[in-house]
Amino acid sequence: MKLTVNGQAHAISAAPGKRLLDTLREDLKLTGTKEGCGEGECGACTVLIDGEAVNSCLVPTCQAEGTKILTVEGLAQNPRWRKLQKAFLECNAAQCGICTPGMMLSACALPPQPTLQQIRVGLAGNLCRCTGYVKIYDAVKKALG
Amino acid sequence: MGQPATDRIEIVKPQSLRHAIDWLTSAAEDGSPLTLLAGGTDIYVLLNAGVPLQGRFLDLWGLTELRPAPVVSGGSLVFGALTTYTDCIRSALVQKHLPILVQASREVGGVQIQNRGTLGGNIGNGSPAGDSLPVLAAADAQVVLASVNGERTVPLTEFYSSYRKTVRRPYELIVRVEVPLAPLQKQKQIFRKVGTRAAQAISKVVMAAVGPQIAFGSVGPTVVRARKVEAYLREGGRSLAAAQRLLKQEIHPIDDVRSTGVYRLKVAQNLLAELGTLDAHK
Ligand SMILES: Cc1cc2nc3c(=O)[nH]c(=O)nc-3n(C[C@H](O)[C@H](O)[C@H](O)COP(=O)(O)OP(=O)(O)OC[C@H]3O[C@@H](n4cnc5c(N)ncnc54)[C@H](O)[C@@H]3O)c2cc1C
Ligand code: FES
Ligand code: FES
């Protein structure tokens, strides 16, 4: 199967039903994408497929063939997303950090200059057990608002 | 830990709808029907939880024939089976003609689920808590099934024979959902989902109404139209208490992990007040 991840083309031989999450972590060694719940609830495994946020724990790898995938490892390539990473640091938006890659990827799919309401809705599928969300919203607002 | 089920399942990928139908037919003839796979937001939850789903999967996701943007055609608002909740939210036509489907779509899961979950999957899954189902039932939606024999159309309200059992034959697939526009004209539309939180929560009770047509989700084995209440409203009935008594005769909610039957009945009865046509003092 051919996958394009963070702008780089890969040819892999994985089972078609293998979760995109596992293909990224095991076959491509991109372990920045995290598994929380494995049932679509927590958003820790969020990546972008063709610019849209998805839970990679629910996506069969064969459905990602021929698409453009963005993971947390690709954020540093783009000045806008670098700004987001910096804002997460500066605002203390990460505590344990397990939700952070997914949070940032969901933020990447937000409209330009999102309102607080748009941020809340856009990140509603990402759960955080540590921060209470306020600092996460602050970081997204600071970087993109 | 053994190899996860998702590494072991067999998925076949048809090149076209025709191809998909041919595969469905031959697999059904061999007595080993294929399981349809759309966005996977129900199926992968089961696989990840270790539910042993048998047999092969037919991956519909790449079939562009099933994913046209919602259109108005032949007097109906027409959706391809792979229409996602995000597609519904973004469609100006859906916003105009069936705004309660936009509202319901916004309340499904989070953005990630809205981007992958499809109407065909919500209908095919047949959970009584499926949030698009009361909307489609209230709007008299028709489900179009395709097979080698051509197409047949089944009203959504007749699509379920019992809990999670549908009239779909193993060699058929849902290709479209059609909502006739005429009954929507000038009718007030209402959607109310009662759950624990706005995002990611499965509903305890859902009500959708298109004028005097009212449907409920999560209050029985399948989505239901409140036919007795509808008849009462059509006859000019205005008493909320009388409508609530009628509703009690036609819905039979159960206790489960999310709520109790008694609570669900009470909530469903209270939701009738939101129709705006019933008087609490009569
Ligand atoms: C975190 C989370 C939150 C959720 N929240 C909600 C919610 O708020 N409300 C809600 O209603 N649902 C919710 N769901 C459930 C799910 O997202 C929806 O039911 C969705 O519409 C399923 O669509 P899918 O394409 O992903 O289905 P799939 O998982 O691909 O398929 C589901 C079922 O439908 C069948 N099927 C798929 N396509 C067809 C077809 N064309 N013809 C016939 N049968 C078909 C499949 O064989 C399978 O049995 C949630 C799921 C998750 C993981
Ligand atoms: S691990 Fe995918 S949503 Fe939780
Ligand atoms: S920082 Fe720990 S879960 Fe969000």
Side-chain angles (χ1 to χ4, degrees):
Chain A
M1 279 186 286
K2 290 198 174 67
L3 292 183
T4 304
V5 185
N6 304 327
Q8 208 183 326
H10 299 270
I12 51 151
S13 64
K18 186 167 185 167
R19 305 181 305 170
L20 180 59
L21 171 68
D22 299 331
T23 301
L24 291 170
R25 292 180 55 89
E26 294 166 9
D27 298 71
L28 300 177
K29 309 287 180 224
L30 294 171
T31 53
T33 305
K34 303 301 178 202
E35 173 161 16
C37 64
E39 39 185 68
E41 297 279 350
C42 75
C45 65
T46 303
V47 301
L48 302 196
I49 293 186
D50 292 334
E52 310 269 20
V54 305
N55 292 321
S56 62
C57 71
L58 300 184
V59 176
T61 301
C62 65
Q63 291 189 351
E65 238 190 316
T67 64
K68 290 199 174 67
I69 301 163
L70 180 68
T71 72
V72 67
E73 289 88 350
L75 294 186
Q77 297 169 6
N78 174 315
R80 184 172 155 89
W81 308 148
R82 264 209 306 279
K83 217 169 134 192
L84 187 68
Q85 291 178 309
K86 212 164 143 248
F88 263 71
L89 273 174
E90 289 166 359
C91 297
N92 292 319
Q95 284 183 30
C96 81
I98 191 99
C99 70
T100 314
M103 286 287 178
M104 288 198 288
L105 268 299
S106 285
C108 291
L110 288 169
Q113 275 132 40
T115 62
L116 181 58
Q117 184 55 22
Q118 285 171 325
I119 297 172
R120 295 177 76 102
V121 170
L123 301 189
N126 294 78
L127 304 185
C128 176
R129 300 296 302 266
C130 304
T131 65
Y133 301 97
V134 175
K135 287 173 192 289
I136 293 175
Y137 300 151
D138 287 349
V140 176
K141 193 109 196 77
K142 180 169 180 182
L144 310 179
Chain B
M1 236 171 58
Q3 198 189 19
T6 44
D7 287 13
R8 279 181 275 116
I9 59 170
E10 201 182 324
I11 302 183
V12 292
K13 226 174 163 169
Q15 300 305 317
S16 66
L17 180 56
R18 185 74 253 167
H19 193 189
I21 289 173
D22 288 344
W23 260 339
L24 270 177
T25 312
S26 52
E29 280 168 357
D30 293 346
S32 52
L34 292 159
T35 301
L36 300 166
L37 172 67
T41 60
D42 281 312
I43 288 178
Y44 264 65
V45 172
L46 296 177
L47 288 171
N48 290 348
V51 177
L53 298 178
Q54 303 299 335
R56 292 181 303 158
F57 292 80
L58 183 71
D59 180 12
L60 304 177
W61 189 254
L63 297 179
T64 46
E65 296 107 308
L66 300 182
R67 181 178 282 127
V71 288
V72 169
S73 165
S76 291
L77 185 56
V78 180
F79 301 89
L82 289 179
T83 305
T84 63
Y85 299 105
T86 300
D87 294 333
C88 293
I89 293 167
R90 289 183 186 158
S91 162
L93 285 173
V94 183
Q95 279 164 19
K96 177 173 170 206
H97 296 292
L98 197 57
I100 49 174
L101 186 57
V102 175
Q103 200 185 334
S105 299
R106 286 189 203 283
E107 295 188 28
V108 169
V111 173
Q112 296 94 325
I113 301 295
Q114 291 163 9
N115 283 340
R116 300 294 288 192
T118 65
L119 291 184
N122 208 221
I123 297 170
N125 191 49
S127 158
D131 283 324
S132 75
L133 307 181
V135 171
L136 296 172
D140 282 336
Q142 307 287 313
V143 179
V144 183
L145 293 157
S147 71
V148 274
N149 306 326
E151 292 187 347
R152 69 180 179 117
T153 300
V154 183
L156 182 80
T157 49
E158 292 166 26
F159 190 70
Y160 302 103
S161 44
S162 59
Y163 178 70
R164 293 210 149 165
K165 291 271 176 301
T166 79
V167 301
R168 181 181 78 84
R169 298 173 187 133
Y171 54 86
E172 292 178 318
L173 79 164
I174 301 168
V175 284
R176 290 192 304 284
V177 183
E178 303 183 347
V179 175
L181 287 177
L184 301 179
Q185 302 310 320
K186 302 205 177 67
Q187 294 288 5
K188 184 170 166 193
Q189 297 183 16
I190 298 171
F191 176 81
R192 283 281 278 119
K193 170 171 170 172
V194 179
T196 38
R197 72 189 273 257
Q200 299 290 55
I202 297 173
S203 52
K204 296 179 199 273
V205 179
V206 183
M207 180 185 79
V210 174
Q213 303 186 168
I214 308 158
F216 283 94
S218 294
V219 298
T222 66
V223 60
V224 283
R225 278 279 289 269
R227 303 277 183 195
K228 289 183 179 172
V229 176
E230 291 181 14
Y232 175 73
L233 291 172
R234 285 211 168 85
E235 287 158 10
R238 289 293 169 263
S239 157
L240 178 61
Q244 288 175 329
R245 278 195 299 275
L246 287 169
L247 186 64
K248 190 176 173 183
Q249 295 172 17
E250 50 191 349
I251 64 170
H252 307 283
I254 57 162
D255 294 350
D256 67 10
V257 288
R258 282 186 291 278
S259 191
T260 66
V262 173
Y263 173 83
R264 286 188 161 113
L265 176 63
K266 188 79 203 154
V267 170
Q269 289 176 317
N270 289 348
L271 286 175
L272 288 177
E274 307 212 359
L275 295 173
T277 45
L278 290 163
D279 189 334
H281 305 291
K282 274 192 185 162

